[in-house]
Amino acid sequence: MRNMSDDHTHVQEFFTARAADWDERFPDDEPAYAAAVAELGLRKGDRVLDAGCGTGRALPPLRAAVTASGVVVGADLTPAMLEAAVRAGRDRDGQLLLADVAGLPFRTESLDAVFAAGLIAHLPNPAENLRELARVVRPGGTLALFHPIGRAALAARQGRRITPDDLRAEANLRPLLAESGWDMTSYVDEDDRFLALAVRRA
Ligand SMILES: C[S@@+](CC[C@H](N)C(=O)[O-])C[C@H]1O[C@@H](n2cnc3c(N)ncnc32)[C@H](O)[C@@H]1O
């Protein structure tokens, strides 16, 4: 039987093996991250979490959006990914935190937004974890679930087919977000990007 720490170990092993050359594998993604961050509607002084920040590729555009008066935190479960973020100097743009999105060390409704790239497919309990993200965001705050490649292109790259139970299919994601405290406001699934935006329900 798998338990929670088996899931953590699996995620950590998977990403530890990939941390050192993560950025080199995807060298052209920077503009896509900046464009996705722009859609979060951040303002100067906002407080934003990059959930599952990995090597921190989203931290520079997040910092640029909230400016020096804002707060940017990148949280990740895998120490090796955070170490790679430090090597890349991304700790200059945000505070890095070794944390599981299942239980975040933030006060309820203390953030304005959450950005999460490539995260939800790795969550063992997506509904619960999205609910935890909703807990830490104020009503009216925003969530971006992003991937710099669309579902079909990703499946092709990984040599698999998309099945109807795919968590990120619009028909599955909308109710999943709704039961977790989020109203989905837009959904784009194109070859070169996946982006679902949601607003924290009051
Ligand atoms: C596909 S990578 C994406 C990394 C980064 N967001 C990017 O776009 O380059 C997914 C990241 O989510 C992290 N992760 C997976 N499950 C997590 C959890 N429960 N809590 C925090 N981070 C998690 C992994 O360690 C990994 O760094």
Side-chain angles (χ1 to χ4, degrees):
M1 191 174 79
R2 285 176 74 83
N3 62 31
M4 189 88 102
S5 58
D6 287 337
D7 289 323
H8 288 177
T9 304
H10 174 75
V11 165
Q12 287 172 331
E13 283 175 359
F14 184 85
F15 286 105
T16 297
R18 288 159 180 78
D21 65 348
W22 185 258
D23 289 7
E24 286 160 36
R25 288 173 62 203
F26 310 108
D28 303 323
D29 286 347
E30 216 173 282
Y33 277 75
V37 165
E39 298 209 30
L40 252 186
L42 290 167
R43 290 163 307 182
K44 201 173 164 177
D46 273 356
R47 303 165 65 90
V48 60
L49 168 68
D50 183 358
C53 66
T55 60
R57 295 192 290 168
L59 298 181
L62 289 171
R63 170 56 67 193
V66 303
T67 75
S69 63
V71 174
V72 178
V73 179
D76 203 284
L77 195 59
T78 306
M81 292 295 262
L82 294 175
E83 286 156 17
V86 172
R87 282 197 299 278
R90 307 238 170 81
D91 54 338
R92 286 194 293 267
D93 290 308
Q95 185 193 336
L96 299 176
L97 197 64
L98 182 62
D100 184 350
V101 299
L104 290 163
F106 300 127
R107 289 194 318 275
T108 297
E109 300 183 6
S110 59
L111 302 178
D112 297 292
V114 174
F115 184 84
L119 175 70
I120 61 164
H122 298 284
L123 298 177
N125 303 300
E128 255 177 56
N129 299 158
L130 286 167
R131 218 170 287 132
E132 173 64 356
L133 294 177
R135 179 188 70 78
V136 299
V137 171
R138 63 166 171 79
T142 48
L143 169 72
L145 300 175
F146 172 66
H147 211 290
I149 182 169
R151 290 189 309 129
L154 181 64
R157 188 164 85 187
Q158 296 173 339
R160 58 177 175 83
R161 281 165 179 265
I162 301 178
T163 57
D165 62 352
D166 182 0
L167 199 66
R168 293 188 300 138
E170 185 169 6
N172 299 331
L173 189 58
R174 187 178 293 280
L176 175 66
L177 285 166
E179 72 175 86
S180 310
W182 299 98
D183 289 327
M184 194 160 89
T185 52
S186 87
Y187 180 93
V188 176
D189 181 20
E190 297 163 343
D191 271 358
D192 59 357
R193 78 164 178 169
F194 173 90
L195 182 64
L197 297 172
V199 172
R200 160 81 151 82
R201 201 175 305 126

